[in-house]
Amino acid sequence: DTEVTQTPKHLVMGMTNKKSLKCEQHMGHRAMYWYKQKAKKPPELMFVYSYEKLSINESVPSRFSPECPNSSLLNLHLHALQPEDSALYLCASSLGLTPSGANVLTFGAGSRLTVL
Amino acid sequence: GQNIDQPTEMTATEGAIVQINCTYQTSGFNGLFWYQQHAGEAPTFLSYNVLDGLEEKGRFSSFLSRSKGYSYLLLKELQMKDSASYLCAVNWGGATNKLIFGTGTLLAVQP
């Protein structure tokens, strides 16, 4: 298995809803990432997990809450979002966290979020 | 800052060669990646450079000059399927894989 699987592919939610995005990989990768991508813009780093512990939080608002229940799963819990949070949310994983050519990020296809 | 700059759009002809440039701030540099992203799809890895010089992978090559804060991606024998966004990404995380993406270049390959 060489894929990162994200669900749901599309999500529409109101500003008072609580929802979650899920990401799964079975490649034995120990680092997992959340990126946010607006239309025609590059991905922006949100969170990095290493060995199920939060390693980097890029000053993301608390209405986004990441969770890494085990080494294969990464969730992003969403609450009280704003319309400007509408974007493609990309999950990625890498073998390890050390910067190197061995730790290339593999991306999922993303979850497209629309906040009404 | 972590500014990574690329041309916004480029157009090239099928069968030709195109070079996509990327410039970045050198402080804290720890490796550079090139990714390809087709519309509505996930970015896919193309190449990695951490030392100066040229890395070749089939039709794609990537060059790095660390002292100049400069990289380019060279695509040869262009095919229509190469129409996509090309993202330069720099690792600035020190001991951590903190990959920051550049502005991206949208390449259109024409017949």
Side-chain angles (χ1 to χ4, degrees):
Chain A
D1 189 351
T2 58
E3 288 187 347
V4 175
T5 303
Q6 291 188 242
T7 55
K9 289 194 183 328
H10 298 275
L11 178 63
V12 179
M13 60 186 290
M15 288 189 283
T16 58
N17 292 157
K18 283 185 181 180
K19 297 285 185 184
S20 297
L21 305 181
K22 297 185 184 303
C23 174
E24 191 168 359
Q25 57 86 17
H26 297 287
M27 295 179 279
H29 288 180
R30 303 314 299 259
M32 296 186 77
Y33 311 76
W34 279 114
Y35 280 83
K36 172 183 176 179
Q37 187 174 28
K38 303 279 276 184
K40 298 187 179 181
K41 297 290 185 183
E44 296 175 16
L45 182 64
M46 298 176 74
F47 303 104
V48 180
Y49 272 82
S50 174
Y51 289 87
E52 299 146 51
K53 287 187 169 39
L54 185 64
S55 180
I56 294 176
N57 176 342
E58 287 286 280
S59 303
V60 179
S62 59
R63 58 185 185 268
F64 295 92
S65 175
E67 179 197 18
C68 191
N70 61 57
S71 59
S72 298
L73 292 174
L74 184 66
N75 299 321
L76 186 62
H77 303 297
L78 314 171
H79 174 53
L81 294 194
Q82 304 296 311
E84 58 264 29
D85 296 322
S86 298
L88 181 68
Y89 288 85
L90 292 164
C91 174
S93 68
S94 64
L95 187 62
L97 204 56
T98 307
S100 77
N103 290 328
V104 171
L105 268 64
T106 300
F107 283 87
S111 292
R112 187 162 299 281
L113 174 67
T114 302
V115 182
L116 300 177
Chain B
Q2 297 171 328
N3 292 338
I4 307 171
D5 293 317
Q6 302 177 233
T8 306
E9 295 182 355
M10 297 183 73
T11 303
T13 304
E14 196 175 12
I17 298 173
V18 71
Q19 177 175 310
I20 302 174
N21 296 326
C22 171
T23 58
Y24 61 90
Q25 292 182 264
T26 58
S27 176
F29 173 84
N30 207 351
L32 186 145
F33 294 79
W34 283 96
Y35 278 80
Q36 179 191 61
Q37 187 177 27
H38 286 98
E41 297 183 12
T44 55
F45 169 72
L46 292 177
S47 69
Y48 172 69
N49 296 75
V50 69
L51 299 176
D52 292 350
L54 190 67
E55 294 284 338
E56 296 187 80
K57 252 185 169 183
R59 295 190 299 116
F60 294 1
S61 304
S62 57
F63 171 82
L64 177 68
S65 168
R66 288 172 296 171
S67 62
K68 294 182 180 177
Y70 169 69
S71 174
Y72 68 72
L73 180 70
L74 195 70
L75 291 75
K76 302 176 188 174
E77 301 168 17
L78 280 173
Q79 302 175 10
M80 298 298 290
K81 68 178 182 179
D82 296 329
S83 294
S85 284
Y86 291 86
L87 302 165
C88 170
V90 175
N91 201 314
W92 265 304
T96 304
N97 217 5
K98 181 177 173 178
L99 201 61
I100 305 298
F101 283 85
T103 50
T105 300
L106 182 61
L107 174 66
V109 179
Q110 298 178 338

